[in-house]
Amino acid sequence: MSFTIAIDGPAAAGKGTLAQALSAHFGFAYLDTGLLYRAVGAGVIAGGDPVAVAQALDPSDLNADTLRTQAVAEAASRVAVIPDVRAALVAFQRSFARRDGGAVLDGRDIGTVICPDADVKLFVTASAEIRADRRFAELTAKGVQTDLAAILDEVRARDDRDQNRAEAPLIAAADATLIDTTSMTAAEALAQAITIVTAKRA
Ligand code: CDP
Ligand code: CDP
């Protein structure tokens, strides 16, 4: 039996942290769809054509560590506006969502475009300042030297591009539950999400 949890929201809102914890709690598979766009962005930085890179992408090659830089995030949001890039990534995401045993996908358009019939849709958000603080703390903890003001600018620019593109813009599905994590711990957000998913599964 399939059961799909769709999690969308802006950069560093806590989507991945929540998606991973939910997948562990319920024993579901997890797909970070941002990695698909990041891999295409990285391919373009390396000189590739965005559509050709997207069409040739092998999801088993995705290496989260090398794709987690600000430069790759920025490149990802630039290729993500290209309809043929998005189209090349749809089938893989949909088949992942429908796998037996349950799936959690996080991204920007999961509840709206990829899985409009998802069993549970969550829209996770937080203020841009808090999100930039979180990303800064993450990068600093990894030993990456970075600048908070530059991260805030990058997060805002990316939000703006993601929200205003013509194809699959970042927007909460009408039937999504909003989780604003601005003053929540990751554990509090998880507890709220578990309650929602458990009610839906009953
Ligand atoms: O996937 P997304 O870019 O939305 O965010 P993330 O990488 O899951 O989370 C960004 C950071 O926020 C992580 O370091 C989390 O520990 C932290 N955080 C969270 O995820 N949820 C909260 N309610 C509070 C903090
Ligand atoms: O981790 P963070 O939230 O910062 O970014 P991400 O989820 O890895 O996504 C990187 C970029 O890919 C986003 O800014 C979007 O432009 C794009 N993306 C998208 O368009 N659709 C998705 N389903 C996932 C990501």
Side-chain angles (χ1 to χ4, degrees):
M1 254 258 297
S2 75
F3 187 97
T4 309
I5 303 175
I7 304 182
D8 292 303
K15 304 178 300 295
T17 302
L18 179 61
Q20 237 160 30
L22 277 177
S23 76
H25 183 89
F26 290 104
F28 293 176
Y30 166 50
L31 178 64
D32 173 355
T33 68
L35 284 182
L36 302 171
Y37 293 89
R38 285 173 182 262
V40 178
V44 168
I45 290 172
D49 168 74
V51 177
V53 173
Q55 287 171 346
L57 198 66
D58 184 344
S60 68
D61 295 339
L62 301 177
N63 178 346
D65 285 344
T66 61
L67 298 175
R68 287 271 166 238
T69 68
Q70 291 298 107
V72 169
E74 168 81 17
S77 85
R78 291 184 185 280
V79 300
V81 307
I82 304 169
D84 286 348
V85 165
R86 306 198 70 85
L89 304 176
V90 168
F92 172 72
Q93 295 176 79
R94 288 201 176 133
S95 74
F96 190 98
R98 282 195 290 259
R99 65 169 51 204
D100 252 6
V104 186
L105 290 82
D106 79 320
R108 301 291 186 288
D109 62 340
I110 309 304
T112 50
V113 173
I114 301 297
C115 305
D117 299 325
D119 298 281
V120 172
K121 297 182 187 180
L122 305 174
F123 193 83
V124 180
T125 188
S127 74
E129 290 76 11
I130 283 284
R131 291 185 285 119
D133 283 348
R134 290 177 183 167
R135 193 58 28 108
F136 178 76
E138 268 176 352
L139 291 169
T140 306
K142 276 199 249 169
V144 179
Q145 231 184 357
T146 165
D147 171 60
L148 180 58
I151 291 182
L152 181 56
D153 284 350
E154 190 273 336
V155 159
R156 287 206 167 110
R158 204 140 58 85
D159 286 354
D160 187 61
R161 200 175 295 126
D162 290 347
Q163 285 160 357
N164 293 307
R165 67 186 175 217
E167 183 93 0
L170 169 65
I171 185 172
D175 52 351
T177 302
L178 186 78
I179 300 184
D180 185 333
T181 69
T182 304
S183 18
M184 266 187 191
T185 64
E188 288 167 341
L190 175 63
Q192 190 173 326
I194 287 175
T195 303
I196 294 164
V197 175
T198 302
K200 183 72 192 199
R201 287 182 96 201

